[in-house]
Amino acid sequence: MRSNKLKINNRPKHIYEDNSIYFFSVRTLDKQWFLRPDEYKQLLLDKIKDKKKKYNFNLLAYVILNNHYHLLVKVGISKNIAKFIGEINGSSAKAINDLDCVIDRKIWWSYYDHIIRNEKDFYKHLNYIHQNPIKHGLSKNLSCRFSSYDSWCRKRGKEYMDDSFEKYPIVDFMIFNDEL
């Protein structure tokens, strides 16, 4: 007997292009706040840094919030993207579940990726990442413990960052989170 249920694919299509910069948006299952306390955010950041070394990816920017994270990554071999995200999510879920004394709980839902197309696209995503803690009420300013904003200020200067926000204002990226 045939099922009348529609098959719904909730996974976004992924396009792979070697030697490209990607924006990633990754959220938790049902947007639950699995990344609290801050120890869990640090654990995730450590996993991200470990996996970027393993895959020889260049982590350009990041932000980690209570129920999602965003990355801006220069990817060499694009066929490794799914493994990269999968290993970050798998190893962080295992570690968080171990700390919470929970067995096999699913933490991560899916991820969205976007290939950066040009300078304007790069800076809009960079600025989106850095303003995200303010957007979600976790910070009153751009300086946030689990964001690369302070690192960018140290490397390029606060004036450079202010100029990038002025030159490349943030657009509403809510569609990304809705697609996940």
Side-chain angles (χ1 to χ4, degrees):
M1 178 174 237
R2 283 179 27 179
S3 171
N4 290 333
K5 290 185 178 181
L6 290 175
K7 272 195 143 179
I8 298 173
N9 183 358
N10 65 349
R11 305 288 192 232
K13 300 285 185 218
H14 302 287
I15 298 169
Y16 300 107
E17 188 173 309
D18 290 350
N19 301 310
S20 295
I21 297 174
Y22 280 79
F23 168 81
F24 297 106
S25 184
V26 186
R27 79 164 174 89
T28 59
L29 181 65
D30 297 327
K31 300 180 183 176
Q32 294 180 64
W33 284 20
F34 286 118
L35 298 173
R36 285 185 58 196
D38 282 352
E39 171 187 2
Y40 294 6
K41 289 181 190 74
Q42 185 62 55
L43 182 150
L44 176 60
L45 181 57
D46 293 343
K47 300 294 182 188
I48 291 167
K49 289 179 176 179
D50 179 54
K51 299 308 175 187
K52 70 118 178 146
K53 286 180 191 171
K54 177 179 178 179
Y55 288 99
N56 198 28
F57 289 175
N58 187 5
L59 179 61
L60 303 173
Y62 66 89
V63 67
I64 300 171
L65 298 126
N66 292 326
N67 64 357
H68 68 285
Y69 65 93
H70 300 292
L71 305 175
L72 202 53
V73 178
K74 173 72 186 277
V75 170
I77 301 171
S78 61
K79 72 177 182 177
N80 289 332
I81 288 173
K83 291 178 197 171
F84 171 70
I85 297 293
E87 287 184 22
I88 290 169
N89 292 351
S91 63
S92 63
K94 169 109 175 65
I96 290 168
N97 284 339
D98 287 349
L99 289 169
D100 286 348
C101 299
V102 176
I103 298 172
D104 293 334
R105 173 180 57 185
K106 184 173 177 161
I107 290 179
W108 298 106
W109 174 243
S110 186
Y111 73 93
Y112 170 86
D113 61 48
H114 167 81
I115 297 174
I116 300 299
R117 292 168 176 80
N118 53 41
E119 180 179 329
K120 179 180 180 181
D121 196 27
F122 175 84
Y123 281 101
K124 284 193 172 188
H125 283 82
L126 178 71
N127 293 340
Y128 177 79
I129 285 171
H130 289 152
Q131 67 80 38
N132 218 244
I134 296 170
K135 175 182 176 179
H136 292 283
L138 298 177
S139 180
K140 293 186 188 319
N141 58 52
L142 295 168
S143 183
C144 178
R145 181 174 169 200
F146 297 101
S147 164
S148 57
Y149 176 77
D150 289 337
S151 171
W152 272 82
C153 285
R154 283 191 300 277
K155 289 178 194 171
R156 298 291 183 105
K158 180 147 177 16
E159 186 175 316
Y160 177 89
M161 296 305 292
D162 290 345
D163 289 346
S164 81
F165 273 96
E166 187 173 322
K167 187 174 181 182
Y168 303 102
I170 298 163
V171 296
D172 187 3
F173 283 50
M174 285 306 294
I175 191 169
F176 292 157
N177 289 329
D178 290 344
E179 288 179 352
L180 291 177

